[in-house]
Each structure stands twice: as structure tokens, then as C-alpha cells.
Amino acid sequence: AWASSLSRFSTHVDSTRDYLKKIWTKEKKLDDLRRRRKSASAEAEAAEKQLSKMSWKYKISTAQIDSLNGLRAEIRSMDSEIMAEEAALRDLKQTITRFWMGSKFSALLECSEKGKIAADFAGKTINLRLRAQDGTSLGAWFVLSEPAYRSLPSPLEPKRTIDDDAANTTDTAEALIRHALSTSPTLLFLHGNSGTRALPRRIALYTALTARVSANVFALDYRGFGDSAGRPSVAGVAMDARAAWDWLTRVHGARPRDVLVVGHSLGTAVAGMLAAQLGREGVDVRGVVLFAPFSSVKLLMQHYAILGVPFLKPLAKLPFVPGTSLFLTDPEYEIPKLTQSPHTDLLADSIAHNFDTLSQVPDIVAPVFIAHALDDFDIPHEHADILFDALVEARLPPTAASNSTLGAYHAGSDSKLDSDAGMDTYTDTDTPPAVHRARLVQRTEVPHFGVLHEFVAPAGTGGRRVVLLKTRYGGHDVGWVEGVQDVLRGVFGFV
């Protein structure tokens, strides 16, 4: 893919010249049609004048009328052909403009970014390729944890690569991977929907996580992203995440208890699908981390904002856009509403890739840590509340889950959670939801930082934790906040 980008960039001048020849040919054809049309129009006008000067006796001559009608039919046919050629020429010019801009600038950007992807930065990262179950070739990085990196001799062998498609995998790369997996936990990082694993801000996150959390980072590019082949789809990216998991655990021997599945933004939906799949298989995962998550794409589209502006909201003003005043609630989990929906159901229903983390909740059995900033102007932080409440409901005993509606209540009580409480704590239907939440969830406020909500499932249900951190600041990149990384380290017991 990188070679094709370089080739496209180096040959864009010749390709543009070929396109310009096509334009010249079409313009010449169009000019010829216009000349023929002008000639026929003049001939028809002359015939019509001649016919008007004839006496009525000669006007009944069918030959003159047939000739005039024939000319008029020919003019109409040429008018249609001219319109079609003008449209085709206009489309061709737009295509050529896009090609030229894309070849000269996008290909250059792609080369630059993929050049960075192909690089081995800081002597700490191994560039690798793996294959999904359907054979799609995927690009990824394995970034060594700081302790694993510092334990290695220096200088390191410069050529380190792992390629499942070739026999050029070096022993040094294999040794580094296995050494790092055996000495440090690993974060399987699933990024959002923009850019690639090589975005500078993501590189900064890898650097922070490997140092502050002391974990390896496996950064994957989904199909259609970066140097990965294929086209993205819900099933496809889920398959890619599973390929990454299998590469770590089955191929290179990482213990599932040492691997943490981390998703950011769109990646939280992918992380949810992977965690649910592993839960159904009974795999004991270290945990799941969701940075700035959304509950489902349909609900997200009704509140998604660009630079803080909800770009679908104006549709609510249009009388011809159908809607059903959808409430953001899921009756299966009794999740409370976020807000009343604008009338954007039609557009939401047309979404091709309908990620839905809420539907995965019953199968996610691993401990979960959710972090969301109050000043996230891309995805409203209420989505984190919805997911947190759904996860807590799913971890209650069946009788408690059916009688306890947590609701989007954040009680002010700092009462301690009693994980050994009797079943009366969970089945008292006369207790208000806010009190239920105060009993089930421990709330800790950190001044000038945020509020931590923690739930531990009662005895007999596995004791799985669900932790929600709502920070005051951090924006959409809440995972980049050092305090958030410190909480992550504490939740999952990283030393």
C-alpha cells in the first residue's frame, strides 16, 4: 500500500496529462455537436420562412412539412445529446480535479503517515503484520513497556519486524515480544474512527501508558485504516480485534489475565464486542477500559457534536423529517433516558455501521473501567452513565436486577458499599432508585478532578468490579489525563 502511494504520487503528472487529453476529446466532440446543431437550426429557420411565404395551395405539400419536422426532430435530438455531453464533461472535470488534488496532496500525506507507520520509532516499537480470520492483512505496533525496554541490552539490533505473510521475522523481534509479554501486562488498544495508529496524539498516549502504567501497548489499525487492507465494517473490525487478541495470547503466549482491552471513542464499541465474545467463551480477561464511550451509534448520532455543535439538531426543525420522540432508554436493561430525542430517527436508521455496546453488556463479565470527561463536546458524558448503569444491572442477581432500577442517579451519599449485604438490599422494591444506587455504588469525590463511582458485584456473582470516573476536564481525549491513567493502574492492580 505504501509503495502504491509513492507510485501514485510520482506518476500523478502523467495521469493528469492523460485525463486532460480526455477532456480535450470531449470538448472537441461537444463543439462539433454545437456546430451541427447551429447549422440544422439555421436550415430549419430558412425552411420555415420559405414555407411562410408560400400560398396556402403549396403549404399542403407534405414534402415541405416533412422536411421541416425532420429538421426540428434532429435539433431536439442534438439538444439532448449536447446536454448529456456537457454533464459528462462537467463530471470528468470534477473527477480529474479530485484525482489531481488527491494524488498531489493526499498521496503525499498518505506516504508521510505510512512512512511513519513503517518506521521503528525510539527503538521501542516493533512494526508487525497479522491476518484476520478472513485473510485480511492488518498492520499493528507492539510498543514495549518502559520496564521491559529498560531491561534490554543496548544498543539493540536495528532490524525488528514481524510479518505473518513472509519469512523475514527476526529472532530478535520474537524474543523481544515474548520477553515483554512475560514481564509486563499488555494493553490491546483499539483507536477511534479518525486517522491511524500513527497519529501523533496516539503515539503520545502509547508513550504515557508504557511509562506511567508500565504496560506494553498493542496498537492495531482496523481494516481500511492505515496500512491495513480491506474495507471497514462492524463484523470486520470485530474480527480484526479478535485477530489481535489471538496474536497476543495464542500465537505469542500472553496470559489472558495479563491483557487489558482498551477502547477509545469508536474503539469502545469494538472493545465491547471483543469483551462480550471472550465472555461467552469463558475467557478470563484482565479487564476492559472504555475511554469516552457511547452506548450505541443510533443514540450517539442524535447527540453527536462537531466542535460542540450538535450537527443533527437542526433536523428537528424540519416538518418533513419523521421521528417518534425516541427516548434514550433500553427496556431490556431498564436504562433511564438521557434526554428526549430530536426527530432524527430517519437518518439514524440509515447508518451503515450500527455499533451497539448496550447489546453486548450481558456477555461482558470482565471488570470494567469507564472514564468520561464532563467537557467532552464530541460524545456526551451521559453515555458513560448509561453504560455504567447497564453493567451494574447485569451484575446483580436475577431477582435483584428485576426489582432494582438504578436510573441515571448519582446520589450524594458517600455511604460505603457492603458487598456482603443480604438480598433485602437488592430486592426492596419500596426503596427509591437513588437510595438503591447509594447502597450499591460507592461514590468518591476527588476535589478539582472528578467523581469516582465503584460497584463490586455481590458474593456469588464473581465479584466483578465496574468503575466509572467522571472527570471535570479532559475533553474527548480523557485517557490522556495522567490522573485517569493513575486510576486505571489502581483499578487493575498494575504495579
Side-chain angles (χ1 to χ4, degrees):
W2 187 21
S4 66
S5 298
L6 288 171
S7 176
R8 187 151 47 94
F9 175 65
S10 62
T11 61
H12 78 275
V13 175
D14 293 336
S15 300
T16 302
R17 186 181 296 112
D18 292 338
Y19 272 124
L20 291 176
K21 289 180 180 178
K22 292 181 181 180
I23 289 180
W24 180 80
T25 301
K26 281 194 169 292
E27 286 181 337
K28 186 177 180 181
K29 180 180 179 180
L30 189 57
D31 288 341
D32 183 59
L33 277 172
R34 286 168 177 162
R35 282 194 296 269
R36 286 169 48 202
R37 197 270 185 200
K38 185 177 181 180
S39 176
S41 179
E43 189 175 348
E45 186 178 354
E48 191 170 1
K49 287 181 179 180
Q50 185 178 1
L51 190 62
S52 66
K53 294 178 181 179
M54 291 181 180
S55 64
W56 65 270
K57 294 181 180 180
Y58 294 101
K59 285 184 180 180
I60 61 174
S61 171
T62 57
Q64 291 290 339
I65 296 175
D66 290 344
S67 176
L68 182 59
N69 289 338
L71 287 171
R72 288 172 175 169
E74 184 180 357
I75 290 171
R76 287 193 297 271
S77 175
M78 284 190 288
D79 284 341
S80 299
E81 191 173 357
I82 287 171
M83 290 178 63
E85 287 296 328
E86 286 176 341
L89 180 61
R90 183 170 58 252
D91 291 343
L92 180 60
K93 286 181 177 179
Q94 291 176 351
T95 300
I96 292 172
T97 301
R98 286 194 298 267
F99 169 81
W100 183 81
M101 294 293 290
S103 297
K104 187 166 184 179
F105 299 109
S106 298
L108 183 60
L109 176 62
E110 187 179 7
C111 289
S112 174
E113 188 171 76
K114 290 185 176 178
K116 190 184 296 182
I117 289 177
D120 180 11
F121 67 83
K124 185 178 177 180
T125 300
I126 299 170
N127 189 66
L128 56 94
R129 300 202 67 79
L130 60 151
R131 283 194 176 274
Q133 186 179 6
D134 63 353
T136 303
S137 179
L138 307 173
W141 279 344
F142 187 92
V143 188
L144 302 177
S145 70
E146 192 66 20
Y149 176 63
R150 290 186 178 278
S151 68
L152 299 175
S154 181
L156 296 173
E157 181 180 335
K159 291 186 64 178
R160 294 191 299 284
T161 182
I162 290 185
D163 191 341
D164 284 356
D165 300 329
N168 62 348
T169 300
T170 65
D171 293 337
T172 303
E174 285 286 352
L176 287 173
I177 295 263
R178 294 187 181 276
H179 168 74
L181 290 174
S182 64
T183 57
S184 301
T186 300
L187 310 183
L188 171 51
F189 183 75
L190 303 166
H191 66 66
N193 69 332
S194 62
T196 71
R197 67 186 187 275
L199 282 182
R201 61 188 179 90
R202 289 184 183 138
I203 294 176
L205 179 62
Y206 311 151
T207 303
L209 292 174
T210 56
R212 198 171 190 91
V213 183
S214 299
N216 308 304
V217 174
F218 186 96
L220 172 73
D221 264 328
Y222 317 114
R223 59 189 63 204
F225 287 75
D227 54 351
S228 296
R231 295 174 61 87
S233 66
V234 174
V237 297
M239 196 181 303
D240 299 343
R242 183 56 191 256
W245 172 269
D246 290 342
W247 189 94
L248 287 169
T249 58
R250 296 182 180 179
V251 179
H252 290 86
R255 293 171 298 182
R257 284 291 301 160
D258 290 338
V259 180
L260 197 63
V261 180
V262 182
H264 172 240
S265 193
L266 176 71
T268 61
V270 185
M273 288 190 291
L274 176 59
Q277 184 183 31
L278 296 173
R280 290 190 293 270
E281 296 174 7
V283 179
D284 190 15
V285 185
R286 181 68 168 260
V288 182
V289 177
L290 306 177
F291 290 141
F294 60 93
S295 51
S296 74
V297 164
K298 282 192 175 182
L299 305 190
L300 173 64
M301 288 297 290
Q302 301 185 29
H303 299 87
Y304 189 76
I306 297 177
L307 298 178
V309 179
F311 72 98
L312 291 183
K313 194 168 186 179
L315 292 180
K317 305 295 184 182
L318 303 179
F320 55 82
V321 177
T324 58
S325 296
L326 175 69
F327 285 85
L328 302 190
T329 181
D330 189 323
E332 183 177 355
Y333 307 114
E334 299 179 347
I335 300 168
K337 67 182 181 180
L338 174 63
T339 182
Q340 192 170 7
S341 165
H343 293 175
T344 54
D345 301 359
L346 181 64
L347 187 55
D349 288 338
S350 68
I351 298 169
H353 304 318
N354 190 11
F355 292 96
D356 185 1
T357 306
L358 281 175
S359 65
Q360 308 293 333
V361 162
D363 295 319
I364 299 176
V365 297
V368 180
F369 171 52
I370 304 172
H372 216 134
L374 298 180
D375 64 345
D376 187 338
F377 296 116
D378 292 332
I379 298 177
H381 62 86
E382 287 87 354
H383 281 264
D385 295 313
I386 292 175
L387 283 174
F388 178 76
D389 290 340
L391 287 162
V392 171
E393 291 272 4
R395 280 160 166 73
L396 293 177
T399 55
S402 62
N403 292 315
S404 172
T405 302
L406 288 178
Y409 298 97
H410 289 274
S413 172
D414 290 328
S415 58
K416 300 295 183 181
L417 171 69
D418 183 5
S419 60
D420 297 325
M423 286 305 297
D424 289 342
T425 302
Y426 305 103
T427 58
D428 180 7
T429 56
D430 295 329
T431 305
V435 178
H436 267 307
R437 188 180 183 109
R439 290 176 177 176
L440 298 173
V441 179
Q442 179 177 341
R443 182 182 186 275
T444 304
E445 185 170 353
V446 181
H448 312 297
F449 178 63
V451 179
L452 190 71
H453 306 268
E454 182 177 3
F455 167 83
V456 178
T461 61
R464 301 293 186 169
R465 300 170 74 186
V466 184
V467 179
L468 168 64
L469 175 62
K470 302 290 283 293
T471 63
R472 295 179 62 182
Y473 307 107
H476 194 53
D477 292 336
V478 66
W480 281 246
V481 177
E482 290 182 338
V484 173
Q485 297 169 13
D486 291 341
V487 174
L488 183 155
R489 189 177 65 228
V491 168
F492 296 103
F494 289 168
V495 179

